[in-house]
């Protein structure tokens, strides 16, 4: 299937590593040009080298998305390279464990900056360009908005915000034919996931129990599966899909475990 993404410029925040890398690679396989935004140029350059080795094209913008002015510069820098922006993937973030009992004002606000506020800023600055191309926005989100996790109020609130903004922007941008969707992820092995699992008691046992509870195949979602679903939602082949919160999670959030184990 040709997703008709050839030569489309798509900003991918956090596109150098983990889920963002999976999305960058999938877009590049379809001939799109990922504009990879991350704080570590050396990591972005590694991903770009991988893309170029496979015959694709990508470029990078070194930015700390916590700075709202840097978001503006990043969007404008991405536009300047090819004179177009066809898509925005809001993905960068971290599960930073700012809890209710053990959190405080500053760390809660800081978590919102790491995980939510740049989603708004990037979309805000990208909208004028997306209007020109009738492009599309994809927000990456986490099951913690639906299921909670405990001890991670800032991250859970951010994911609730990511889902709510998906619907809100889908409505606001209808008139421009700019579509907005989200992908919710449950369990996917990435550098962030590896860091997080080390923070729980007995990581090995915890990981075994998590994986055993993933309904489809008792395995984690792969980066390629998330990348493929992302490319499809961003593509013109999804031209009548907007405001959708799509769970690419092996049934983790919605399927009844009691029935599965009966
Ligand atoms: P990851 O492995 O840590 O990768 C995150 C990427 O984002 C890195 O390239 C990182 O690069 C970049 N980044 C982070 N903060 C940034 C900032 N302030 N400015 C610029 N770049 C920044 O994380 P991941 O597991 O792929 O997670 C990506 C997204 O998926 C997160 O928003 C998370 O909520 C969501 N998610 C993940 C899972 C999972 O199972 N892994 C589940 C649900 C949702 P630098 O550090 O070099 O900047």
């Amino acid at each position: 299937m040709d997703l008709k993404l050839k030569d489309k410029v798509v900003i991918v925040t956090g596109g150098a590593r983990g889920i963002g890398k999976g999305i960058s690679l999938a877009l590049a396989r379809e001939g799109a040009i990922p504009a990879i935004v991350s704080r570590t140029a050396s990591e972005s350059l590694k991903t770009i080298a991988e893309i170029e080795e496979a015959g694709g094209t990508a470029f990078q913008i070194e930015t700390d998305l916590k700075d709202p002015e840097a978001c503006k510069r990043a969007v404008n820098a991405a536009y300047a390279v090819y004179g177009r922006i066809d898509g925005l993937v809001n993905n960068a973030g971290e599960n930073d464990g700012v809890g209710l009992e053990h959190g405080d004002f500053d760390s809660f606000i800081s978590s919102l900056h790491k995980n939510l506020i740049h989603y708004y800023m990037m979309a805000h600055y990208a909208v004028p360009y997306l209007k020109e191309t009738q492009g599309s926005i994809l927000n990456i989100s986490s099951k913690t908005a639906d299921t909670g996790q405990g001890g991670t109020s800032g991250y859970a609130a951010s994911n609730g915000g990511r889902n709510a903004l998906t619907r809100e922007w889908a409505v606001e941008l209808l008139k421009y034919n700019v579509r907005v969707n989200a992908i919710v992820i449950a369990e996917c092995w990435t550098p962030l996931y590896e860091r997080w699992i080390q923070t729980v008691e007995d990581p090995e046992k915890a990981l075994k129990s998590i994986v055993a509870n993933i309904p489809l195949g008792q395995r984690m979602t792969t980066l390629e599966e998330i990348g493929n679903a992302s490319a499809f939602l961003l593509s013109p082949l999804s031209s009548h899909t907007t405001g959708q919160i799509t769970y690419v999670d092996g049934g983790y959030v919605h399927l009844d475990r009691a029935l599965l184990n009966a």
Side-chain angles (χ1 to χ4, degrees), residues 14 17 19 39-40 63-65 91 155 162 185 188 190 192:
R17 274 194 273 229
I19 286 158
R39 290 169 296 198
T40 318
T63 303
D64 187 343
L65 294 158
N91 159 75
Y155 183 66
R162 291 166 172 185
I185 299 158
C188 176
T190 65
L192 169 70

Side-chain angles (χ1 to χ4, degrees), residues 114-229:
K114 286 181 201 165
N115 289 299
L116 179 64
I117 292 168
H118 61 78
Y119 273 46
Y120 174 83
M121 298 316 305
M122 291 297 286
H124 172 71
Y125 292 121
V127 159
Y129 303 130
L130 293 171
K131 279 164 66 177
E132 286 174 6
T133 53
Q134 302 200 341
S136 165
I137 298 175
L138 179 67
N139 291 325
I140 298 299
S141 183
S142 151
K143 71 170 170 46
T144 54
D146 299 279
T147 62
Q149 188 174 80
T152 197
S153 295
Y155 183 66
S158 296
N159 283 301
R162 291 166 172 185
N163 294 353
L165 291 176
T166 299
R167 293 264 153 80
E168 168 64 11
W169 297 345
V171 173
E172 186 167 330
L173 302 180
L174 283 172
K175 54 184 176 288
Y176 306 122
N177 205 24
V178 170
R179 299 177 301 104
V180 186
N181 292 291
I183 286 185
V184 177
I185 299 158
E187 311 291 343
C188 176
W189 191 258
T190 65
L192 169 70
Y193 198 98
E194 194 171 0
R195 281 197 305 278
W196 170 76
I197 199 84
Q198 295 309 324
T199 67
V200 306
E201 213 183 307
D202 199 344
E204 207 176 312
K205 192 171 157 212
L207 187 59
K208 255 192 182 164
S209 132
I210 290 167
V211 169
N213 275 301
I214 299 171
L216 189 61
Q218 284 79 49
R219 64 168 179 83
M220 296 182 119
T221 310
T222 67
L223 296 175
E224 202 177 348
E225 287 166 333
I226 295 166
N228 288 340

